[in-house]
Amino acid sequence: MFHEDYAFFSSTSRYMALHFKAFADQVMADYLADDDPLVVEMGSNDGIMLQNFAAAGIRHLGIEPSQNVAQVAIDKGVKTITEFFGADLARRIVAESGPADAFLAASVMCHIPYIHSIVEGIRLLLRPDGVVMFEDPHLGEVAEKTSYDQIYDEQTFLFSVASISYLFEQYGLEVIDIEPQTTHGGSMRYVIAHQGARPVSPKVAAPKEKERSLGLHLPATHDRFRQNCENSRDRLMALLKDLKAQGKRVVGYGATSKSTTITNYCGITPDLVEFISDTTPIKQGKYSPGAHIPVRPYEEFVRNYPDYALLFAWNHAHEIMEKEKAFRDRGGKWIVYVPEVAVLD
Ligand code: TYD
């Protein structure tokens, strides 16, 4: 999947650029030692995060197996190697550049089936007082919001604080801080260090307790989640069929990976959703996986506004609503399905 034609360029979202600037600023302010620190990012994509370290003259290394996005980073002056991370590469980096002060990843850890090799690599790469910081969608958010579209082909894991703590403890590492994030519809940022190397923040306790009170460890919680998914699907399909019967035009907004789960699980076909608008050139002119809904350039959405836009990129809702005032002003309506199926007038 992460080959020379990876279809996702992080920098297509302005908000994400700001998000990663703030992330980088926090790393620089709170965690970097003075003596020529090294920052390593796994899945560095087009350099959206590391460009901030490059600009500050900080030693950095991006590890990005997808050649096309890695090239964009390299062209921006972000040092990047096109490889997959694991214990072997960690040893090589230590031999060539020394240990890392910070190891970063955003929406990457959850994509990797061979997670134990990653954590072993981190253990080998990290300085004794170094930190790991990564963020991923959180199981509790998905269960609470019925955002079942976070479950798709690339997402091998949906982590919780409990599962992350359990995983890293097996490698002598511990969670020292936690910060809930609004990105990707509710993510968790974990800060991890070698056991005993840094103080554990009191902030770690509350999310752990919340997970227990949500019953994330109980099968009944997940039975309820399944029921909520089925209800959500039934409502969305009823709405789309009703709009079709009324002769309304519906266009999808954002050919997200997530939407692949929605279209296939719900059975959304091109007669219900005419096309999906997306600003990413590599996705345009193709079809959505399985459901075969055409993906067209954003300009086609603007040229002939539909009656309804189905917000597949709901994780960018704030940015999109701001950008698409004209669509609404001309009578266009949004269909959303997280946390509930609804039409926004
Ligand atoms: P993304 O947030 O990465 O979701 P996923 O991880 O589920 O793929 O994808 C957002 C997609 O939406 C991406 O293909 C770009 C597209 N997009 C637009 O077309 N217009 C926009 O204004 C925004 C913010 C995104």
Side-chain angles (χ1 to χ4, degrees):
M1 187 157 35
F2 302 105
H3 46 54
E4 67 282 3
D5 274 337
Y6 188 47
F8 180 64
F9 289 79
S10 297
S11 297
T12 46
S13 166
R14 193 165 52 83
Y15 273 72
M16 291 311 283
L18 294 173
H19 172 79
F20 287 119
K21 164 112 180 42
F23 192 152
D25 286 346
Q26 189 197 357
V27 175
M28 288 186 239
D30 296 348
Y31 296 108
L32 291 190
D34 301 332
D35 54 339
D36 196 20
L38 173 66
V39 176
V40 175
E41 186 186 2
M42 175 175 72
S44 47
N45 200 276
D46 56 14
I48 190 168
M49 169 119 75
L50 285 183
Q51 65 193 5
N52 298 294
F53 295 96
I58 291 172
R59 274 199 311 142
H60 60 274
L61 180 65
I63 302 166
E64 175 49 68
S66 307
Q67 175 66 47
N68 60 333
V69 288
Q71 194 56 49
V72 175
I74 292 165
D75 293 345
K76 281 198 280 202
V78 174
K79 195 172 172 213
T80 308
I81 51 172
T82 41
E83 293 199 46
F84 287 95
F85 184 72
D88 289 344
L89 180 56
R91 283 191 198 93
R92 250 168 50 218
I93 296 172
V94 173
E96 285 166 19
S97 311
D101 295 74
F103 180 92
L104 313 176
S107 299
V108 174
M109 208 70 96
C110 63
H111 289 175
I112 304 175
Y114 48 92
I115 191 82
H116 283 270
S117 168
I118 300 296
V119 184
E120 170 66 357
I122 290 173
R123 186 183 72 77
L124 294 168
L125 180 60
L126 208 61
R127 259 170 70 131
D129 61 346
V131 292
V132 184
M133 287 173 77
F134 69 92
E135 50 191 33
D136 277 307
H138 182 250
L139 176 65
E141 293 282 339
V142 171
E144 267 190 314
K145 292 183 179 146
T146 318
S147 50
Y148 64 89
D149 57 351
Q150 291 289 5
I151 303 167
Y152 58 86
D153 204 32
E154 283 172 57
Q155 308 281 61
T156 307
F157 296 105
L158 254 176
F159 295 126
S160 59
V161 180
S163 67
I164 286 298
S165 303
Y166 176 70
L167 172 65
F168 280 82
E169 277 165 17
Q170 294 171 54
Y171 294 86
L173 296 149
E174 65 181 343
V175 177
I176 59 162
D177 207 353
I178 285 178
E179 287 163 37
Q181 305 290 314
T182 54
T183 43
H184 290 287
S187 303
M188 203 63 95
R189 181 181 297 167
Y190 305 91
V191 187
I192 292 170
H194 288 290
Q195 262 162 9
R198 286 175 177 265
V200 176
S201 161
K203 281 193 300 189
V204 176
K208 267 190 172 165
E209 275 156 31
K210 188 173 174 206
E211 287 179 359
R212 283 200 85 76
S213 68
L214 278 173
L216 292 187
H217 57 301
L218 301 174
T221 310
H222 301 282
D223 281 341
R224 210 162 42 240
F225 173 57
R226 184 196 52 203
Q227 187 63 56
N228 291 342
C229 294
E230 290 168 0
N231 292 345
S232 172
R233 173 186 62 189
D234 295 349
R235 285 191 198 120
L236 183 59
M237 287 309 282
L239 173 63
L240 292 175
K241 284 179 180 163
D242 182 42
L243 293 175
K244 185 188 170 188
Q246 292 176 42
K248 303 290 187 194
R249 286 182 62 225
V250 180
V251 164
Y253 196 102
T256 53
S257 309
K258 291 185 288 295
S259 63
T260 304
T261 295
I262 300 293
T263 51
N264 288 285
Y265 174 66
C266 297
I268 299 173
T269 39
D271 61 317
L272 296 174
V273 170
E274 198 177 301
F275 65 90
I276 305 173
S277 160
D278 199 287
T279 52
T280 317
I282 202 170
K283 294 185 182 179
Q284 297 162 358
K286 301 209 169 62
Y287 292 88
S288 72
H292 292 188
I293 302 169
V295 180
R296 304 233 173 98
Y298 171 63
E299 289 68 31
E300 291 201 28
F301 173 79
V302 178
R303 193 178 312 134
N304 184 13
Y305 281 138
D307 301 301
Y308 290 81
L310 175 54
L311 186 57
F312 285 136
W314 58 267
N315 49 315
H316 302 286
H318 183 62
E319 175 171 1
I320 291 169
M321 295 296 160
E322 215 174 78
K323 200 166 84 179
E324 300 299 349
K325 284 206 179 80
F327 168 60
R328 255 172 126 165
D329 289 347
R330 298 212 196 153
K333 294 188 173 74
W334 289 98
I335 301 171
V336 295
Y337 48 83
V338 173
E340 303 259 315
V341 174
V343 174
L344 309 180
D345 282 310

